[in-house]
Amino acid sequence: MDGVNSMTGNAPDLQAFAEVARRHGALLYVDDAHGFGVIGERSPHEPSPYGLRGNSVVRYADESYDGLVLVGGFSKSYSSLLAFVACPTAIKNLLKVAAPPYLYSGPSPVASLASTLAGFEVNERKGDLLRADLYRMTRRVLDALAELGAATPNRSGLPIIEVPLADHTQIDEVGRFLFERGIYVTLAAYPLVPKDEVGFRVQLTAVNTDAEIDRLIEALELLSDRGELRLKSEATS
Ligand SMILES: Cc1ncc(COP(=O)(O)O)c(C=O)c1O
């Protein structure tokens, strides 16, 4: 299963899934490519509801790694070509002799290792402050959508914000409208997604500025005025 979902931006109830898996003697496999580096262990002193340290969905849900395999990648929050598996020792020993990619792939590029180490250093020094700022900017966009009455599946406050369209045939035009205003989003067009889920996905990052968020909100307001955004009252999901 996904950790933080790549489209909705929501995290699963991991404790509930882990409990079901353990009850049935099953291994729970979680891919948190999108949560790693953003959400992490909870604390009464956390500067944002993302938790601390960005150490992923298992710590965020206060779960253990018993009977659980966590995979995460560095291609998102760390912008490096690298990934990891966290798993029980018996699984690790099996993977080391039975997983073809582990046996036959070349090593991770040195440049990726170096950029990840540099990323760890940034994370250690100011990761929680960067995440608090990311949360604040994300909140601005979510609040603006709420004010416009526009739908979004995001209930988490995490920085993946999908905005469904009122009319799926408008996706090219809406994408171009945003691009011409210097706003790059991911388009989810039919048949990649069902027609009633067509829309665009905004991904905020810690290097976005408030001026950029202003520009995004202005564009969302213009799209809303033109009736392009699905209204919350009509949302199907
Ligand atoms: C859930 C999930 N896992 C893995 C990946 C792939 O990550 P990478 O490009 O680092 O292999 C993606 C890509 O977006 C993803 O959404």
Side-chain angles (χ1 to χ4, degrees):
M1 64 185 300
D2 278 2
V4 172
N5 184 278
S6 61
M7 292 305 287
T8 66
N10 298 322
D13 182 348
L14 203 64
Q15 290 195 345
F17 282 99
E19 193 276 317
V20 171
R22 285 181 195 129
R23 186 148 37 88
H24 293 277
L27 197 61
L28 184 65
Y29 179 96
V30 185
D31 175 346
D32 199 28
H34 293 273
F36 178 66
V38 180
I39 57 172
E41 64 198 54
R42 309 308 302 268
S43 153
H45 309 295
E46 59 193 24
S48 84
Y50 295 170
L52 297 177
R53 303 184 66 205
N55 51 10
S56 202
V57 68
V58 179
R59 302 301 296 274
Y60 179 74
D62 199 19
E63 255 303 330
S64 83
Y65 288 91
D66 292 340
L68 192 149
V69 174
L70 171 72
V71 297
F74 291 80
S75 66
K76 286 145 178 108
S77 53
Y78 285 83
S79 198
S80 305
L81 290 173
L82 218 62
F84 67 86
V85 183
C87 58
T89 308
I91 304 287
K92 180 180 80 174
N93 291 339
L94 174 69
L95 290 176
K96 283 172 87 169
V97 294
Y102 182 80
L103 295 174
Y104 305 126
S105 292
S108 297
V110 172
S112 289
L113 292 167
S115 56
T116 296
L117 289 175
F120 280 159
E121 198 268 318
V122 172
N123 190 37
E124 191 70 33
R125 193 159 37 84
K126 57 175 183 180
D128 292 325
L129 292 178
L130 290 174
R131 283 180 281 269
D133 206 36
L134 183 56
Y135 172 67
R136 186 186 58 75
M137 289 189 288
T138 303
R139 218 36 289 158
R140 285 193 62 200
V141 178
L142 288 171
D143 289 348
L145 286 170
E147 209 159 295
L148 295 170
T152 174
N154 184 310
R155 290 179 301 281
S156 61
L158 290 169
I160 293 174
I161 305 174
E162 190 195 353
V163 183
L165 297 189
D167 173 0
H168 76 92
T169 64
Q170 291 297 97
I171 187 71
D172 278 356
E173 199 170 310
V174 167
R176 202 168 304 115
F177 173 88
L178 291 168
F179 195 69
E180 280 164 2
R181 279 159 184 75
I183 299 165
Y184 177 68
V185 295
T186 306
L187 302 181
Y190 175 79
L192 187 66
V193 297
K195 286 178 182 165
D196 63 358
E197 288 176 24
V198 166
F200 57 90
R201 180 185 69 173
V202 177
Q203 303 112 190
L204 302 181
T205 81
V207 293
N208 281 127
T209 62
D210 273 301
E212 287 166 343
I213 304 297
D214 289 343
R215 201 189 319 160
L216 171 63
I217 290 174
E218 203 174 293
L220 291 172
E221 286 167 352
L222 288 169
L223 288 173
S224 169
D225 287 348
R226 295 183 185 186
E228 300 285 17
L229 306 185
R230 169 127 25 102
L231 297 180
K232 213 171 175 177
S233 47
E234 325 168 330
T236 56
S237 55

